Amino acid sequence: MKAIQITAPSEMKVVEMEKPRCGAGEVLLRIQYVGFCGSDLNTYRGLNPMVKMPVVPGHEIGAVIDEVGAGVPDHLTKGMAVTVNPYTNCGVCPSCRNRRYNACEHNETLGVQRWGAMCDYIALPWQKIIPIGDISAKHAAIIEPMSVGFHAVSRAQVVDTDVVMVIGCGMVGVGAVVRAIMRGAKVIACDMDDEKLSIVRGLGAEHTINSARENVHERIAEITQGRGCDVVIEAVGAPVTYQMAVAEVAFTGRVVCIGYAKQDVSFTTKLFVQKELDIRGSRNALPEDFEGVIRYLQKSQPPYDILISACVRPEQAEQAMEQWAAAPAKVFRILVDFTD
């Protein structure tokens, strides 16, 4: 079968691999579309310390069931359209014992710690297979990144009286914006790219701020009458946005961090105490977050053509990744098309 491998920083190629077998308790998927995400970009750029190379990337998946192994429940059938929960969980660590499987201490994510889905076929435990109903396989590839944003909103315990600031309007940030709006909150979206801000306005964000040319603190003070935001969700992973989150959240507010900062971050820690802040991490997503995204996509018609920046064949994947690396702010998602 055909597969894409990242073999070293800035090196990607299409290779032939043996088709996996479907064992007991497993489902064999015929891959249709897989999205490149930020972790794949960092792997390609040599900036992902968690990856083991060479690696087959990919964990944002739209597929159909090709074969069902012994012992798989009857609700999973051949030909069914599905996506995948791409995280493992050990079942015994503190996170798993607290039923927060998304934050398993020993998690291995497809395409990072273990080989991913940028190939014709992949065999997975049936528990990781998520039916998607009438959502197309192409659109299914955005479910996982949006679910990460949905999970961050759950971590923030957003309610309809909250003012929520989302910093970073990539696909994960889009998920956070959508989920906060679904919960009735007033949403302020912040990014450096006008096109992304236009998209989230179309999705329902009440206010947008271009941090490249506007004074964020003054705009937040204007919008909130000087009170600050009840919730700030950081979806970038940079020292300046971590600091912005703490600065712009209201007294007794909640800060939820999704992005991984690549450098150490310095804080004025007195704000942690003076504001009596809740500062929370948010990692991956739970099954109910996937379900929430699926329900949203079934009921809504988001601008898929804008959210999917490009769709390429495997042989074009390296060129697409090079272009993304050269202009990362201009890309939502690149999908790789494995259909016949």
Side-chain angles (χ1 to χ4, degrees):
M1 69 173 184
K2 185 181 297 182
I4 295 172
Q5 267 193 344
I6 301 175
T7 55
S10 301
E11 293 184 10
M12 181 184 293
K13 61 183 181 181
V14 179
V15 299
E16 285 294 324
M17 300 178 64
E18 185 177 351
K19 179 181 175 181
R21 296 180 179 179
C22 185
E26 291 186 330
V27 172
L28 182 68
L29 300 183
R30 176 69 170 95
I31 299 299
Q32 305 286 290
Y33 294 89
V34 185
F36 275 128
C37 78
S39 63
D40 299 322
L41 176 62
N42 284 331
T43 297
Y44 181 74
R45 298 168 71 186
L47 300 176
N48 189 344
M50 296 183 290
V51 75
K52 302 173 184 177
M53 288 196 193
V55 67
V56 175
H59 57 256
E60 302 174 355
I61 300 165
V64 295
I65 295 177
D66 190 72
E67 186 179 343
V68 176
V72 173
D74 292 341
H75 74 275
L76 297 174
T77 59
K78 184 173 181 177
M80 179 180 284
V82 298
T83 191
V84 171
N85 182 331
Y87 326 118
T88 66
N89 56 280
C90 69
V92 297
C93 74
S95 297
C96 289
R97 289 182 178 183
N98 289 328
R99 298 189 177 185
R100 290 166 65 175
Y101 307 109
N102 59 298
C104 175
E105 184 178 351
H106 307 292
N107 169 67
E108 293 183 348
T109 299
L110 292 177
V112 186
Q113 294 92 347
R114 60 174 56 194
W115 283 17
M118 286 219 173
C119 49
D120 288 324
Y121 295 90
I122 187 170
L124 295 167
W126 71 263
Q127 294 90 340
K128 298 300 180 181
I129 309 303
I130 303 172
I132 58 173
D134 58 359
I135 298 172
S136 73
K138 185 176 182 179
H139 297 159
I142 72 171
I143 292 173
E144 190 274 342
M146 286 191 70
S147 74
V148 176
F150 271 45
H151 184 68
V153 172
S154 293
R155 289 284 292 140
Q157 297 175 297
V158 170
V159 296
D160 57 3
T161 56
D162 284 332
V163 176
V164 178
M165 179 184 187
V166 178
I167 306 174
C169 296
M171 190 65 77
V172 171
V174 164
V177 167
V178 165
R179 190 54 157 171
I181 292 168
M182 290 172 69
R183 291 194 174 197
K186 175 188 288 189
V187 175
I188 305 168
C190 181
D191 201 280
M192 300 176 68
D193 185 81
D194 282 332
E195 184 176 354
K196 291 181 177 179
L197 292 173
S198 176
I199 290 169
V200 293
R201 276 198 301 273
L203 292 171
E206 190 165 336
H207 301 277
T208 57
I209 303 172
N210 187 316
S211 58
R213 64 169 186 270
E214 297 181 77
N215 185 307
V216 175
H217 185 71
E218 290 179 0
R219 288 280 284 119
I220 293 296
E222 174 190 349
I223 294 167
T224 67
Q225 291 79 50
R227 292 190 295 269
C229 302
D230 302 291
V231 173
V232 179
I233 296 174
E234 198 286 336
V236 177
V240 65
T241 50
Y242 265 73
Q243 293 160 349
M244 181 189 297
V246 172
E248 303 310 329
V249 73
F251 275 64
T252 68
R254 289 98 73 197
V255 174
V256 175
C257 303
I258 310 173
Y260 283 86
K262 307 303 185 294
Q263 311 105 298
D264 291 341
V265 184
S266 297
F267 289 104
T268 304
T269 54
K270 70 176 184 179
L271 294 178
F272 295 11
V273 177
Q274 286 181 337
K275 291 185 174 183
E276 198 175 56
L277 299 180
D278 289 340
I279 300 177
R280 306 171 185 179
S282 183
R283 183 183 181 192
N284 300 331
L286 286 165
E288 52 262 40
D289 301 309
F290 284 86
E291 292 167 9
V293 175
I294 290 169
R295 286 196 299 271
Y296 167 72
L297 295 180
Q298 288 173 332
K299 293 179 179 179
S300 306
Q301 288 297 321
Y304 290 114
D305 291 343
I306 298 174
L307 296 174
I308 298 170
S309 306
C311 189
V312 301
R313 298 294 293 178
E315 295 77 13
Q316 302 167 312
E318 183 170 21
Q319 181 182 1
M321 187 64 86
E322 289 173 352
Q323 293 172 347
W324 190 12
K330 294 298 181 181
V331 171
F332 270 102
R333 273 302 177 272
I334 297 171
L335 302 189
V336 180
D337 178 359
F338 282 89
T339 60
D340 294 329

